[in-house]
Amino acid sequence: MHISNTDYQRWLADKEKPDTTIGCPTPPLNILAHEAEVSHEPLQLLLNSIPDDDCLQWHVEYVVESCAGENTVPDHKRLGLTHAPGESIESSFNTFLETISGFVLFARSPLVFNGCMVTQIASHMASALAVQLFTVDSDTLEQGCRVRPRFIKPWDPDLLLAHDYIQGAALLDVDLVRQLGGLRPEYGRAAVYDLLLRASTMLCQKQTRHIPVMLFHRLADTPVDHGAENSAVSAFVRKGSENTEVAETSPGYRHIVWLPAEWPRISLIIPTRDQAALLGACLRSLLGRTDYPDFEILLVNNRSVEPATFRLFEMYSRHSNVRIIEHDAPFSFPHINNVAARQASGEILGLINNDVEVMEPGWLKEMAGHALRPEVGAVGAMLLYPDMRIQHAGVVLGMCGTARHADLFEPHDSPGYLGRLRCAQRMSAVTGGCMLTRRELYEKAGGLEEKLPVSYNDIDYCLRLREMGKLVIWTPHARLIHHESVSRGDDGSPEKRAQTMKSIAFFKSRWAKWIESDPEYNPNLALEPPGFRLPDAR
């Protein structure tokens, strides 16, 4: 899925305002470029794209393998020329890294800077002294026209493992690069990707910053080597944990499978009121299609009255891993789950709606593998409507003024913007329709917020985990059908509308900072569903 050229040209005209005044000295930026031999025109375009301002300490080091065409190299104060015959690009870059300071941009394919935006980049770099990695947006220049914008998400090591979504659009602190041992020549075209993977183990979130500005235009596609990428990822995850597997799902995309030493018990909590047909389908799929070795189902009966429902309860109560819990109180999703959680025996809790159906056996292992990672607080799944359109692929904060599901109604097999729907990744929140979280964290966080009886309680819980320093992961490798709130009934009564407005006010007051700026979403993209597009013209 790409942003159309028409929409992008409209966005450029509306949003990108030239600013070429640089008021103070900026950290040095070293652009390391490479060619087999001197290519005069791309080099001249690159040099001309850097504003002629002495406050801008930017330098281009041009590494060539052959001396051919050396006499065409322009005499420019920002240019250095290095001959590296018979030496790998990575080794040549490493040699140069020993002599410089500041930041480095590895230009593995020809590019030119977006001169009118350099000021904003320089300002961010000058004001963020603790940052060691900046990521930026970019696009492609074709026949003088800017196309294929890449509005990438902020730094996300989980997404990076699954796919090189950055594709070289990163400015790295030179000291950090040296500390990491520089580029590793054995990974060739994936050497910068390998470097970023290794950097992810040394950087906390405060040491990274995404600058949502188009820094440069690519003049050609960046060369890739998917085999080398896979090798880099396999070596990286093996070093971090022996209990992982890497499976290539399509060229350039990977599924990282997290395998614990043993699978702990999981308690799946299912609140329900009547709707025996939906609940029956849910239970049959959970018990008949799930390959997880140890889970229990806590079926919480919230004032059911239909005989068919009680026949279902009687039938499933005979299962050794199904328990029926009576809850005679007005519907409150948080209260029901909090009560059931206190009776659960599992190390992991699963919040499950009674209108979901399992599609694939491995869904629970996929989610549990993430949930057991110490740094992870909650895990959400890919939920699909019965017609196979997407119902949940993570939550974007600020959408429609509060929060909404991303990529709503997209086809189930859509790759998503920049391939996001193929990859496990970090989100600010996921839905409680199918969410896993460790019981210890649930208790530490105080469970779900009971002041939000119907809506936003799941997002609120995720944000409390985020403020505790835990990650929220969404994975497309656990897919379930979700009929979405069928069993809860109509939200259109005056009482329910009033409750919804009260919940919205509470949610907005508590999470105003997050709603204003979702740290897992590029601010250039739309805050109208389904997201991951440019905003509508105003």
Side-chain angles (χ1 to χ4, degrees):
M1 183 189 302
H2 294 284
I3 291 169
S4 74
N5 290 339
T6 300
D7 286 346
Y8 186 42
Q9 298 310 313
R10 173 183 52 76
W11 182 89
L12 287 172
D14 183 47
K15 300 292 185 182
E16 196 167 87
K17 308 300 181 186
D19 182 2
T20 57
T21 303
I22 301 171
C24 60
T26 64
L29 176 61
N30 303 274
I31 300 98
L32 302 191
H34 165 268
E35 295 285 353
E37 58 184 48
V38 174
S39 183
H40 179 268
E41 184 177 358
L43 178 59
Q44 191 65 62
L45 288 171
L46 172 60
L47 293 169
N48 291 347
S49 68
I50 303 175
D52 186 16
D53 189 316
D54 289 338
C55 289
L56 197 65
Q57 302 180 65
W58 288 20
H59 173 83
V60 176
E61 187 65 19
Y62 194 54
V63 179
V64 294
E65 300 172 25
S66 168
C67 296
E70 182 178 353
N71 59 344
T72 67
V73 173
D75 182 14
H76 197 286
K77 65 180 181 180
R78 297 191 187 277
L79 177 64
L81 180 65
T82 297
H83 291 129
E87 189 176 27
S88 72
I89 307 165
E90 296 74 32
S91 296
S92 300
F93 284 175
N94 286 340
T95 299
F96 185 69
L97 286 167
E98 297 173 4
T99 67
I100 61 175
S101 62
F103 287 81
V104 60
L105 169 66
F106 296 99
R108 292 299 302 264
S109 60
L111 58 83
V112 296
F113 288 102
N114 184 8
C116 65
M117 292 290 105
V118 163
T119 297
Q120 291 190 36
I121 299 291
S123 176
H124 278 279
M125 294 176 67
S127 65
L129 301 181
V131 172
Q132 292 188 285
L133 169 68
F134 294 96
T135 56
V136 296
D137 296 336
S138 62
D139 61 16
T140 298
L141 197 61
E142 284 186 354
Q143 299 178 340
C145 184
R146 293 172 60 179
V147 297
R148 296 197 296 281
R150 294 185 55 83
F151 295 106
I152 66 174
K153 74 169 295 190
W155 178 243
D156 183 345
D158 279 276
L159 178 57
L160 187 67
L161 274 173
H163 174 58
D164 181 13
Y165 77 101
I166 293 176
Q167 294 193 6
L171 317 178
L172 289 124
D173 185 289
V174 171
D175 289 337
L176 172 66
V177 176
R178 283 200 287 254
Q179 191 177 353
L180 290 166
L183 299 174
R184 299 200 284 199
E186 61 265 34
Y187 292 112
R189 291 175 175 174
V192 177
Y193 177 53
D194 166 71
L195 179 67
L196 289 170
L197 291 174
R198 289 182 284 131
S200 69
T201 64
M202 300 185 64
L203 295 172
C204 68
Q205 204 65 30
K206 292 181 179 179
Q207 292 173 299
T208 70
R209 177 181 291 185
H210 180 69
I211 306 176
V213 169
M214 289 287 169
L215 174 59
F216 59 80
H217 320 302
R218 304 173 197 270
L219 302 181
D221 292 334
T222 303
V224 295
D225 183 339
H226 297 316
E229 288 180 354
N230 294 339
S231 296
V233 170
S234 295
F236 176 77
V237 298
R238 278 199 307 271
K239 186 174 181 180
S241 170
E242 294 182 358
N243 297 320
T244 52
E245 294 178 356
V246 180
E248 185 178 50
T249 55
S250 60
Y253 294 88
R254 289 161 291 277
H255 176 196
I256 311 302
V257 183
W258 301 88
L259 301 169
E262 59 182 62
W263 296 105
R265 167 164 275 217
I266 298 177
S267 297
L268 302 178
I269 301 171
I270 307 177
T272 191
R273 179 185 295 176
D274 293 318
Q275 298 289 345
L278 280 174
L279 178 61
C282 174
L283 294 172
R284 283 193 300 274
S285 70
L286 286 172
L287 294 167
R289 297 179 196 153
T290 302
D291 68 1
Y292 196 84
D294 185 10
F295 69 94
E296 67 170 353
I297 295 174
L298 304 183
L299 200 55
V300 188
N301 176 31
N302 183 215
R303 294 181 168 177
S304 296
V305 296
E306 296 173 357
T309 304
F310 290 102
R311 287 196 295 271
L312 199 68
F313 288 162
E314 182 181 1
M315 181 174 67
Y316 279 100
S317 64
R318 300 168 190 161
H319 286 254
S320 60
N321 60 337
V322 177
R323 281 193 280 154
I324 313 295
I325 298 174
E326 296 296 330
H327 187 77
D328 185 13
F331 177 80
S332 169
F333 187 78
H335 185 60
I336 291 171
N337 280 282
N338 291 344
V339 168
R342 290 191 286 271
Q343 301 183 48
S345 61
E347 180 180 329
I348 297 174
L349 302 178
L351 309 187
I352 307 292
N353 279 15
N354 66 347
D355 54 356
V356 301
E357 294 181 48
V358 173
M359 296 176 64
E360 300 151 342
W363 73 279
L364 196 51
K365 283 184 177 178
E366 167 66 15
M367 296 182 72
H370 284 289
L372 289 167
R373 295 164 54 191
E375 68 273 21
V376 172
V379 185
M382 166 82 88
L383 300 181
L384 305 173
Y385 287 109
D387 65 3
M388 299 301 286
R389 291 180 301 162
I390 291 173
Q391 189 268 331
H392 173 260
V395 171
V396 174
L397 299 175
M399 194 172 283
C400 297
T402 50
R404 290 292 186 275
H405 292 186
D407 286 309
L408 189 66
F409 302 131
E410 288 296 309
H412 74 98
D413 55 355
S414 168
Y417 182 57
L418 302 181
R420 72 167 292 267
L421 293 176
R422 296 172 173 171
C423 307
Q425 62 206 260
R426 300 176 182 183
M427 301 292 289
S428 290
V430 292
T431 181
C434 180
M435 176 199 293
L436 258 59
T437 185
R438 295 199 303 282
R439 181 176 172 176
E440 59 168 307
L441 291 175
Y442 193 85
E443 293 172 349
K444 186 175 181 181
L448 298 184
E449 174 57 73
E450 296 188 11
K451 293 178 182 178
L452 297 167
V454 178
S455 53
Y456 298 105
N457 45 69
D458 46 3
I459 303 173
D460 174 87
Y461 176 70
C462 288
L463 295 180
R464 283 185 284 130
L465 290 175
R466 290 292 305 258
E467 294 213 325
M468 289 165 57
K470 299 300 180 181
L471 302 175
V472 174
I473 299 293
W474 172 78
T475 173
H477 305 298
R479 303 196 308 162
L480 299 92
I481 298 294
H482 187 204
H483 297 271
E484 192 185 23
S485 306
V486 172
S487 61
R488 200 175 68 208
D490 180 23
D491 282 346
S493 68
E495 295 80 6
K496 289 184 177 180
R497 284 199 300 268
Q499 179 59 61
T500 298
M501 296 308 296
K502 185 178 179 180
S503 294
I504 288 173
F506 180 90
F507 180 76
K508 282 184 169 182
S509 66
R510 175 177 280 186
W511 301 112
K513 179 185 71 172
W514 289 76
I515 291 170
E516 182 180 355
S517 179
D518 187 332
E520 301 294 346
Y521 192 65
N522 189 303
N524 289 310
L525 298 174
L527 289 175
E528 305 92 27
F532 293 98
R533 288 160 173 77
L534 290 177
D536 294 335
R538 299 296 182 190

PDB file of all heavy atoms in Angstrom, residues 287-302:
ATOM      1  N   LEU A 287     -11.191 -24.588  22.264  1.00  0.00           N
ATOM      2  CA  LEU A 287     -10.848 -25.927  22.741  1.00  0.00           C
ATOM      3  C   LEU A 287     -10.455 -26.868  21.608  1.00  0.00           C
ATOM      4  O   LEU A 287      -9.666 -27.802  21.810  1.00  0.00           O
ATOM      5  CB  LEU A 287     -12.036 -26.517  23.507  1.00  0.00           C
ATOM      6  CG  LEU A 287     -12.386 -25.797  24.815  1.00  0.00           C
ATOM      7  CD1 LEU A 287     -13.737 -26.242  25.338  1.00  0.00           C
ATOM      8  CD2 LEU A 287     -11.292 -26.039  25.865  1.00  0.00           C
ATOM      9  N   GLY A 288     -10.969 -26.625  20.418  1.00  0.00           N
ATOM     10  CA  GLY A 288     -10.724 -27.560  19.320  1.00  0.00           C
ATOM     11  C   GLY A 288      -9.578 -27.185  18.403  1.00  0.00           C
ATOM     12  O   GLY A 288      -9.054 -28.047  17.696  1.00  0.00           O
ATOM     13  N   ARG A 289      -9.179 -25.920  18.400  1.00  0.00           N
ATOM     14  CA  ARG A 289      -8.163 -25.500  17.437  1.00  0.00           C
ATOM     15  C   ARG A 289      -6.889 -24.947  18.071  1.00  0.00           C
ATOM     16  O   ARG A 289      -5.945 -24.632  17.356  1.00  0.00           O
ATOM     17  CB  ARG A 289      -8.748 -24.420  16.503  1.00  0.00           C
ATOM     18  CG  ARG A 289      -9.909 -24.891  15.658  1.00  0.00           C
ATOM     19  CD  ARG A 289     -10.442 -23.771  14.782  1.00  0.00           C
ATOM     20  NE  ARG A 289     -11.758 -24.098  14.257  1.00  0.00           N
ATOM     21  CZ  ARG A 289     -12.676 -23.219  13.923  1.00  0.00           C
ATOM     22  NH1 ARG A 289     -12.413 -21.920  14.049  1.00  0.00           N
ATOM     23  NH2 ARG A 289     -13.836 -23.605  13.466  1.00  0.00           N
ATOM     24  N   THR A 290      -6.862 -24.791  19.371  1.00  0.00           N
ATOM     25  CA  THR A 290      -5.705 -24.184  20.026  1.00  0.00           C
ATOM     26  C   THR A 290      -4.709 -25.264  20.429  1.00  0.00           C
ATOM     27  O   THR A 290      -5.078 -26.218  21.123  1.00  0.00           O
ATOM     28  CB  THR A 290      -6.150 -23.395  21.282  1.00  0.00           C
ATOM     29  OG1 THR A 290      -7.098 -22.396  20.891  1.00  0.00           O
ATOM     30  CG2 THR A 290      -4.967 -22.720  21.938  1.00  0.00           C
ATOM     31  N   ASP A 291      -3.447 -25.087  20.027  1.00  0.00           N
ATOM     32  CA  ASP A 291      -2.455 -26.125  20.322  1.00  0.00           C
ATOM     33  C   ASP A 291      -1.623 -25.823  21.571  1.00  0.00           C
ATOM     34  O   ASP A 291      -0.615 -26.482  21.823  1.00  0.00           O
ATOM     35  CB  ASP A 291      -1.542 -26.356  19.116  1.00  0.00           C
ATOM     36  CG  ASP A 291      -0.616 -25.170  18.813  1.00  0.00           C
ATOM     37  OD1 ASP A 291      -0.662 -24.156  19.547  1.00  0.00           O
ATOM     38  OD2 ASP A 291       0.152 -25.257  17.834  1.00  0.00           O
ATOM     39  N   TYR A 292      -2.049 -24.847  22.368  1.00  0.00           N
ATOM     40  CA  TYR A 292      -1.300 -24.498  23.582  1.00  0.00           C
ATOM     41  C   TYR A 292      -1.470 -25.605  24.624  1.00  0.00           C
ATOM     42  O   TYR A 292      -2.583 -26.114  24.838  1.00  0.00           O
ATOM     43  CB  TYR A 292      -1.788 -23.163  24.140  1.00  0.00           C
ATOM     44  CG  TYR A 292      -0.852 -22.552  25.140  1.00  0.00           C
ATOM     45  CD1 TYR A 292       0.222 -21.785  24.724  1.00  0.00           C
ATOM     46  CD2 TYR A 292      -1.028 -22.761  26.507  1.00  0.00           C
ATOM     47  CE1 TYR A 292       1.104 -21.231  25.639  1.00  0.00           C
ATOM     48  CE2 TYR A 292      -0.152 -22.217  27.429  1.00  0.00           C
ATOM     49  CZ  TYR A 292       0.919 -21.444  26.990  1.00  0.00           C
ATOM     50  OH  TYR A 292       1.795 -20.916  27.898  1.00  0.00           O
ATOM     51  N   PRO A 293      -0.379 -25.982  25.321  1.00  0.00           N
ATOM     52  CA  PRO A 293      -0.452 -27.175  26.179  1.00  0.00           C
ATOM     53  C   PRO A 293      -1.179 -27.002  27.502  1.00  0.00           C
ATOM     54  O   PRO A 293      -1.613 -28.000  28.090  1.00  0.00           O
ATOM     55  CB  PRO A 293       1.029 -27.502  26.429  1.00  0.00           C
ATOM     56  CG  PRO A 293       1.742 -26.203  26.257  1.00  0.00           C
ATOM     57  CD  PRO A 293       0.998 -25.454  25.200  1.00  0.00           C
ATOM     58  N   ASP A 294      -1.303 -25.773  28.023  1.00  0.00           N
ATOM     59  CA  ASP A 294      -1.868 -25.635  29.374  1.00  0.00           C
ATOM     60  C   ASP A 294      -2.634 -24.318  29.481  1.00  0.00           C
ATOM     61  O   ASP A 294      -2.038 -23.269  29.710  1.00  0.00           O
ATOM     62  CB  ASP A 294      -0.755 -25.685  30.418  1.00  0.00           C
ATOM     63  CG  ASP A 294      -1.288 -25.676  31.852  1.00  0.00           C
ATOM     64  OD1 ASP A 294      -2.517 -25.818  32.030  1.00  0.00           O
ATOM     65  OD2 ASP A 294      -0.474 -25.510  32.779  1.00  0.00           O
ATOM     66  N   PHE A 295      -3.943 -24.364  29.286  1.00  0.00           N
ATOM     67  CA  PHE A 295      -4.751 -23.161  29.488  1.00  0.00           C
ATOM     68  C   PHE A 295      -6.085 -23.544  30.104  1.00  0.00           C
ATOM     69  O   PHE A 295      -6.587 -24.657  29.930  1.00  0.00           O
ATOM     70  CB  PHE A 295      -4.951 -22.395  28.175  1.00  0.00           C
ATOM     71  CG  PHE A 295      -5.815 -23.067  27.152  1.00  0.00           C
ATOM     72  CD1 PHE A 295      -7.181 -22.783  27.061  1.00  0.00           C
ATOM     73  CD2 PHE A 295      -5.272 -23.986  26.249  1.00  0.00           C
ATOM     74  CE1 PHE A 295      -7.981 -23.388  26.109  1.00  0.00           C
ATOM     75  CE2 PHE A 295      -6.066 -24.599  25.291  1.00  0.00           C
ATOM     76  CZ  PHE A 295      -7.423 -24.306  25.220  1.00  0.00           C
ATOM     77  N   GLU A 296      -6.633 -22.599  30.855  1.00  0.00           N
ATOM     78  CA  GLU A 296      -7.968 -22.743  31.420  1.00  0.00           C
ATOM     79  C   GLU A 296      -8.857 -21.635  30.874  1.00  0.00           C
ATOM     80  O   GLU A 296      -8.372 -20.578  30.467  1.00  0.00           O
ATOM     81  CB  GLU A 296      -7.924 -22.692  32.945  1.00  0.00           C
ATOM     82  CG  GLU A 296      -7.527 -21.323  33.510  1.00  0.00           C
ATOM     83  CD  GLU A 296      -7.724 -21.220  35.022  1.00  0.00           C
ATOM     84  OE1 GLU A 296      -8.293 -22.150  35.615  1.00  0.00           O
ATOM     85  OE2 GLU A 296      -7.308 -20.186  35.600  1.00  0.00           O
ATOM     86  N   ILE A 297     -10.143 -21.906  30.866  1.00  0.00           N
ATOM     87  CA  ILE A 297     -11.128 -20.917  30.445  1.00  0.00           C
ATOM     88  C   ILE A 297     -12.015 -20.573  31.629  1.00  0.00           C
ATOM     89  O   ILE A 297     -12.615 -21.462  32.241  1.00  0.00           O
ATOM     90  CB  ILE A 297     -11.988 -21.442  29.273  1.00  0.00           C
ATOM     91  CG1 ILE A 297     -11.123 -21.667  28.029  1.00  0.00           C
ATOM     92  CG2 ILE A 297     -13.124 -20.467  28.966  1.00  0.00           C
ATOM     93  CD1 ILE A 297     -11.868 -22.309  26.872  1.00  0.00           C
ATOM     94  N   LEU A 298     -12.024 -19.288  31.981  1.00  0.00           N
ATOM     95  CA  LEU A 298     -12.911 -18.792  33.027  1.00  0.00           C
ATOM     96  C   LEU A 298     -14.077 -18.104  32.345  1.00  0.00           C
ATOM     97  O   LEU A 298     -13.945 -17.005  31.802  1.00  0.00           O
ATOM     98  CB  LEU A 298     -12.172 -17.815  33.951  1.00  0.00           C
ATOM     99  CG  LEU A 298     -10.899 -18.347  34.628  1.00  0.00           C
ATOM    100  CD1 LEU A 298     -10.319 -17.316  35.571  1.00  0.00           C
ATOM    101  CD2 LEU A 298     -11.177 -19.650  35.367  1.00  0.00           C
ATOM    102  N   LEU A 299     -15.215 -18.762  32.353  1.00  0.00           N
ATOM    103  CA  LEU A 299     -16.415 -18.281  31.679  1.00  0.00           C
ATOM    104  C   LEU A 299     -17.253 -17.528  32.708  1.00  0.00           C
ATOM    105  O   LEU A 299     -17.786 -18.130  33.639  1.00  0.00           O
ATOM    106  CB  LEU A 299     -17.177 -19.468  31.105  1.00  0.00           C
ATOM    107  CG  LEU A 299     -18.194 -19.241  29.986  1.00  0.00           C
ATOM    108  CD1 LEU A 299     -17.563 -18.520  28.806  1.00  0.00           C
ATOM    109  CD2 LEU A 299     -18.747 -20.586  29.541  1.00  0.00           C
ATOM    110  N   VAL A 300     -17.312 -16.195  32.554  1.00  0.00           N
ATOM    111  CA  VAL A 300     -17.960 -15.373  33.570  1.00  0.00           C
ATOM    112  C   VAL A 300     -19.374 -15.042  33.114  1.00  0.00           C
ATOM    113  O   VAL A 300     -19.569 -14.267  32.169  1.00  0.00           O
ATOM    114  CB  VAL A 300     -17.165 -14.079  33.838  1.00  0.00           C
ATOM    115  CG1 VAL A 300     -17.757 -13.344  35.037  1.00  0.00           C
ATOM    116  CG2 VAL A 300     -15.692 -14.393  34.081  1.00  0.00           C
ATOM    117  N   ASN A 301     -20.351 -15.627  33.775  1.00  0.00           N
ATOM    118  CA  ASN A 301     -21.759 -15.440  33.416  1.00  0.00           C
ATOM    119  C   ASN A 301     -22.297 -14.156  34.036  1.00  0.00           C
ATOM    120  O   ASN A 301     -22.457 -14.044  35.245  1.00  0.00           O
ATOM    121  CB  ASN A 301     -22.590 -16.633  33.893  1.00  0.00           C
ATOM    122  CG  ASN A 301     -24.073 -16.419  33.621  1.00  0.00           C
ATOM    123  OD1 ASN A 301     -24.442 -15.752  32.660  1.00  0.00           O
ATOM    124  ND2 ASN A 301     -24.920 -16.986  34.481  1.00  0.00           N
ATOM    125  N   ASN A 302     -22.590 -13.195  33.179  1.00  0.00           N
ATOM    126  CA  ASN A 302     -23.085 -11.894  33.635  1.00  0.00           C
ATOM    127  C   ASN A 302     -24.585 -11.772  33.330  1.00  0.00           C
ATOM    128  O   ASN A 302     -24.988 -11.187  32.330  1.00  0.00           O
ATOM    129  CB  ASN A 302     -22.288 -10.775  32.949  1.00  0.00           C
ATOM    130  CG  ASN A 302     -22.681  -9.377  33.415  1.00  0.00           C
ATOM    131  OD1 ASN A 302     -22.673  -8.438  32.629  1.00  0.00           O
ATOM    132  ND2 ASN A 302     -23.008  -9.228  34.681  1.00  0.00           N
TER     133      ASN A 302
END
